[in-house]
Amino acid sequence: MQTAYLFDAIRTPRGKARPTGALYSVPPLRLVTTLLASLGQRTHLDPAWVDDLLLGCVTAVGEQGGNLARAALLAAGWPHPVPGLQLNRFCASGLEAINLAAAKVRAGWADLVLAGGVESMSRTPMGADGGALAEDVALREAVGIVPQGVSADLLATLEGFSRPALDEYALYSQTRAAAAAANGYFRSLTPVLDEEGRPLLAHDEHLRPDTTLEKLAALAPAFAQMGAQFDRLALRAYPQLSAVRHDHTAGNSSGMVDGAALVLVGSREAGARMGLPPRARILAAATVGSEPTLMLTGPAPAAKRALRQAGMSVSDVDLWEVNEAFAAVVLKFMRDMGLRDLGNINVNGGAIALGHPLGATGAILVGTALDELERRGLNTALVTLCAAGGMGIATILERL
């Protein structure tokens, strides 16, 4: 088996997913072509060397439907022999694209693959694609599928995570992300330009550096209204509870944003041909299913499986990137993995502060981890996300 190396990682800023957001006017196609152009400038990449583009996207309808990867290659003027694939493992899609690229390289079926994801949540609202998990009433009743926000509140209730604990973690995310942005730690970020070449957005727009615990505590529960309809399914699955506490808010849940990210994955020979030294290698990757009502507990078993594959233990990981879908997800992960403090977890903040562009987030986290390993001179990082329907994914990187 060949080794799969990471040669570069690049992402757009994350724009607020609303009509007033800076990226609302930018179709998802252009978010991807922006990165293709920027990557070429950064690496002097010859597009003819690329064997495939794998692109995660969760809400694949309308202008995000069809095969956006192939459309972006054609729009960017890339050579016709370079194919494209669009895939959906819900919030794990961007990282799954990278893992599939690594698998192709390891198997010798490809030498150089671009992988990542895109999501324009302002232009294509979450849930617009429907699907059985969202719309098949019989399935929802039989399996006990509830909205993710209700699952997050159920998780916090089961684990005894209080509203102050959730808000304290949210403040940690905001504080760390604000410091990282102010100090230029996000080296993988590239601006999105308008058609005249002027910057539309050059920084992450969702940040709230003035966040305080008092402001967080004043926010109303975000999922109590959903709970009025779906709590009964949650309590049917977990009858030891008398009620679900609805403690997640807009302040301690991930923000909805627009964004895209790409990672260049290849063999050592491909790097030599490009004249690019590898920045890291992928040591292991894993995906798991988890209980679908609770839904959000997949990161720990996925991480444990990846660690077993790599012959590593928890103490061998220098940095953890755990997607902040909700504050309770990170707190649960820490408990399950035996991590006692936040010293090396989401050290530059996460989706609570910066936003979660569904199909792109996994690839964004790889770039964030890689940049921070290099900045600190550390060796290993584990990236993990939960995903709708009850799934988890994890990937271990080793800096070179």
Side-chain angles (χ1 to χ4, degrees):
M1 299 287 285
Q2 295 190 93
T3 299
Y5 294 96
L6 303 183
F7 293 99
D8 205 3
I10 190 170
R11 72 170 177 93
T12 68
R14 283 168 271 196
K16 293 179 181 179
R18 58 185 64 170
T20 57
L23 297 182
Y24 178 73
S25 64
V26 183
L29 180 70
R30 187 145 70 88
L31 293 177
V32 181
T33 57
T34 291
L35 294 184
L36 292 173
S38 295
L39 188 67
Q41 293 167 5
R42 282 165 61 110
T43 64
H44 304 291
L45 174 68
D46 184 341
W49 293 339
V50 177
D51 293 311
D52 209 347
L53 169 62
L54 311 181
L55 197 66
C57 183
V58 174
T59 312
V61 295
E63 61 186 4
Q64 289 189 164
N67 185 341
L68 192 57
R70 180 59 174 167
L73 292 167
L74 295 174
W78 277 42
H80 292 172
V82 184
L85 169 69
Q86 185 163 329
L87 59 94
N88 181 6
R89 199 188 284 279
F90 294 128
C91 298
S93 299
L95 188 56
E96 179 74 324
I98 293 169
N99 291 347
L100 288 175
K104 284 186 170 224
V105 171
R106 283 171 58 85
W109 291 359
D111 283 326
L112 193 63
V113 181
L114 267 174
V118 63
E119 205 81 35
S120 178
M121 299 182 75
S122 64
R123 297 172 64 98
T124 306
M126 181 170 57
D129 55 335
L133 289 174
E135 297 183 353
D136 188 318
V137 176
L139 176 65
R140 295 185 71 107
E141 288 288 330
V143 179
I145 304 246
V146 300
Q148 278 197 341
V150 175
S151 291
D153 287 339
L154 173 63
L155 176 60
T157 305
L158 283 166
E159 295 292 328
F161 300 140
S162 66
R163 169 69 182 269
L166 302 177
D167 286 346
E168 285 169 11
Y169 180 79
L171 181 62
Y172 166 87
S173 180
Q174 290 284 356
T175 302
R176 290 298 185 95
N183 289 294
Y185 292 166
F186 299 129
R187 292 176 49 228
S188 57
L189 190 150
T190 190
V192 176
L193 309 178
D194 66 16
E195 294 180 356
E196 280 71 46
R198 297 169 302 207
L200 272 175
L201 187 63
H203 62 276
D204 292 309
E205 192 179 26
H206 190 266
L207 277 166
R208 296 182 295 274
D210 60 344
T211 298
T212 64
L213 283 176
E214 292 73 21
K215 290 180 179 179
L216 288 168
L219 295 173
F223 306 108
Q225 186 173 353
M226 289 182 183
Q229 179 180 356
F230 291 101
D231 280 359
R232 61 181 180 81
L233 293 177
L235 295 173
R236 187 185 72 187
Y238 295 91
Q240 67 268 38
L241 298 177
S242 60
V244 177
R245 291 195 332 266
H246 291 287
D247 285 338
H248 282 89
T249 70
N252 56 36
S253 306
S254 56
M256 293 189 292
V257 292
D258 305 331
L262 291 176
V263 175
L264 188 59
V265 183
S267 65
R268 186 175 288 276
E269 292 74 20
R273 187 166 62 248
M274 293 185 293
L276 280 179
R279 296 173 62 185
R281 62 174 175 156
I282 294 181
L283 293 181
T287 51
V288 300
S290 62
E291 195 279 301
T293 303
L294 196 53
M295 192 185 307
L296 306 170
T297 58
K304 291 176 180 178
R305 180 176 289 185
L307 288 169
R308 287 195 300 271
Q309 285 182 10
M312 296 170 61
S313 65
V314 169
S315 62
D316 294 322
V317 178
D318 295 321
L319 294 175
W320 303 86
E321 285 289 338
V322 186
N323 186 40
E324 297 172 354
F326 304 91
V329 172
V330 183
L331 298 182
K332 171 64 170 171
F333 179 83
M334 292 176 63
R335 178 172 289 175
D336 288 351
M337 300 300 292
L339 300 170
R340 297 183 179 179
D341 61 64
L342 290 164
N344 62 349
I345 302 168
N346 296 351
V347 296
N348 290 330
I352 289 173
L354 296 159
H356 175 23
L358 307 176
T361 302
I364 290 174
L365 294 184
V366 168
T368 300
L370 184 54
D371 287 346
E372 193 63 13
L373 286 174
E374 292 174 343
R375 191 182 75 83
R376 295 186 178 215
L378 299 175
N379 295 320
T380 57
L382 188 147
V383 178
T384 183
L385 302 91
C386 59
M391 293 184 286
I393 190 168
T395 302
I396 301 174
L397 315 176
E398 180 183 49
R399 182 181 68 89
L400 299 175

